[in-house]
Amino acid sequence: MTLAIGIDVGGTNIRGGVVDETGKILKRARLSSDSRLGKGHFLNQLKKVVDELGVVAAGPPLLQGIAIGLPGIVDPAQGIVYASPHFEDWKNWNAVNDIEKLLGRRPEIDNDANFAVLGEGWLGAAKEWPHYLMITLGTGIGGGIVIDKKVWHGDRGFAGEFGHIIVETEGPRCFCGGRGCLEMFASATGLKILIEEAPEAIDKRDFLRLCDKEIEGITMEEVYRLAQDGNSFAISLFKRVGFYLGVGIASLVNTLGMERVVIGGGIRAAWDFFIGEAKKEVGKRTYKETAARLQIVPSALGDDAGILGAAARVFTLS
Ligand SMILES: [Zn+2]
């Protein structure tokens, strides 16, 4: 039995696991990534996590390799991270070389979302599917495209940036430089914009009174709880999210001809409040044959998807 170390790096934490070929996580380690403290600090933390896991993975059974999911625009073929939303000093960084020096072993790297996508393909919602899309709705929007069980990276790793599909040509400005991007509507950030832009009415006033805070501080979980309580404004917000998500998925399906979509991220909890509207919009905006066959399913692996997907890369399952 060979083992892999899979690491999932976020803006807050570095999470790692020793994974066997069946996908069982034999040992876990976790440390803060403290993105504000810079690259040197991050590398130290990464080494500590790998060292802790290495105690289990060293010696027989054999450690086949290490794969690390990094938050940012990653070109796995070149080993370069072009930029990261969390780590300001990751600019055109040859991460593979630096990490190889640090660990004495050359790692595989990829974008963290891409590894989560692969994890779902190995053991989760997309098991058995050779082609699929995964869209992750959290603070922002991530995701990936899998073709023949492999992530499609585009020319330099920029593929799968679903958050920046344009769903409103004159919509709000996005930090990417464009406007009306999907992320401005169908994410935690987008929810706040939807609240701000909703016309002043009794139901909005009631909703804001119940939240009892500035719009900036309202979380997706709070909106979800209010929707569960039957608050009509909270319910309408998730319908708007579903609408824009459906518009975005329709463009993707029409472009790629894929009939399988996995939705992951924090918004999954509110599934019943947005999925109906999303499916309705996809149905209106795609060919009947495609819409009839389209499967949109929630992700299945939760927080472990990134670790498992990284391990899958090591085992060259994908
Ligand atoms: Zn954008």
Side-chain angles (χ1 to χ4, degrees):
M1 176 72 86
T2 58
L3 301 175
I5 290 182
I7 311 269
D8 185 16
V9 178
T12 316
N13 287 302
I14 303 172
R15 301 170 62 251
V18 178
V19 182
D20 73 15
E21 285 164 288
T22 68
K24 202 166 153 207
I25 300 178
L26 305 175
K27 182 179 167 68
R28 293 168 185 273
R30 175 189 193 134
L31 275 180
S32 62
S33 54
D34 300 324
S35 56
R36 265 168 265 164
L37 298 180
K39 197 189 288 169
H41 179 80
F42 162 72
L43 287 170
N44 282 337
Q45 295 290 86
L46 176 67
K47 176 136 179 39
K48 282 184 203 161
V49 169
V50 173
D51 284 350
E52 193 179 335
L53 297 171
V55 173
V56 170
L62 192 69
L63 177 64
Q64 194 166 325
I66 298 175
I68 304 169
L70 300 168
I73 307 281
V74 180
D75 181 342
Q78 305 295 326
I80 305 279
V81 180
Y82 288 106
S84 167
H86 305 293
F87 294 83
E88 272 181 23
D89 59 350
W90 293 12
K91 293 261 182 345
N92 301 314
W93 174 36
N94 194 321
V96 161
N97 280 356
D98 279 2
I99 296 171
E100 183 179 12
K101 269 184 232 150
L102 180 81
L103 303 177
R105 181 167 202 136
R106 199 162 180 82
E108 298 269 348
I109 63 164
D110 206 329
N111 166 269
D112 55 343
N114 281 339
F115 277 145
V117 173
L118 287 179
E120 291 291 339
W122 183 23
L123 298 159
K127 219 169 146 179
E128 318 291 329
W129 291 354
H131 319 299
Y132 60 94
L133 302 169
M134 180 162 154
I135 307 176
T136 307
L137 310 180
T139 310
I141 294 182
I145 304 165
V146 172
I147 300 171
D148 286 332
K149 298 236 164 207
K150 291 194 167 28
V151 171
W152 171 253
H153 290 98
D155 281 334
R156 292 192 302 148
F158 285 76
E161 289 291 325
F162 301 139
H164 304 289
I165 294 174
I166 297 145
V167 291
E168 280 283 9
T169 52
E170 300 306 317
R173 278 258 172 239
C174 176
F175 60 86
C176 74
R179 66 188 319 155
C181 296
L182 183 59
E183 188 161 305
M184 296 296 105
F185 302 100
S187 66
T189 310
L191 266 181
K192 288 171 199 166
I193 293 172
L194 289 175
I195 297 168
E196 258 160 30
E197 298 207 332
E200 293 303 325
I202 296 169
D203 64 343
K204 180 172 171 178
R205 277 200 296 278
D206 279 349
F207 168 86
L208 289 174
R209 191 175 43 77
L210 288 166
C211 291
D212 192 27
K213 61 176 71 158
E214 296 292 315
I215 291 174
E216 188 47 41
I218 297 173
T219 64
M220 201 188 283
E221 291 72 27
E222 279 170 300
V223 180
Y224 173 53
R225 268 199 305 275
L226 287 172
Q228 276 182 311
D229 290 346
N231 182 273
S232 61
F233 186 78
I235 291 170
S236 75
L237 285 175
F238 282 119
K239 280 199 169 164
R240 296 292 289 159
V241 168
F243 168 84
Y244 285 112
L245 182 62
V247 172
I249 290 175
S251 290
L252 291 168
V253 166
N254 286 331
T255 307
L256 296 163
M258 289 193 183
E259 296 170 346
R260 290 160 170 150
V261 180
V262 180
I263 310 270
I267 206 164
R268 239 175 19 132
W271 187 260
D272 292 342
F273 290 109
F274 71 83
I275 196 62
E277 201 68 16
K279 284 183 177 166
K280 197 165 87 187
E281 281 312 307
V282 180
K284 279 194 222 163
R285 294 162 194 268
T286 51
Y287 287 108
K288 262 200 216 86
E289 294 78 1
T290 316
R293 292 177 57 90
L294 189 70
Q295 297 181 60
I296 305 179
V297 301
S299 62
L301 298 180
D303 285 347
D304 286 339
I307 291 173
L308 293 169
R313 173 69 55 77
V314 170
F315 295 136
T316 61
L317 295 166
S318 46

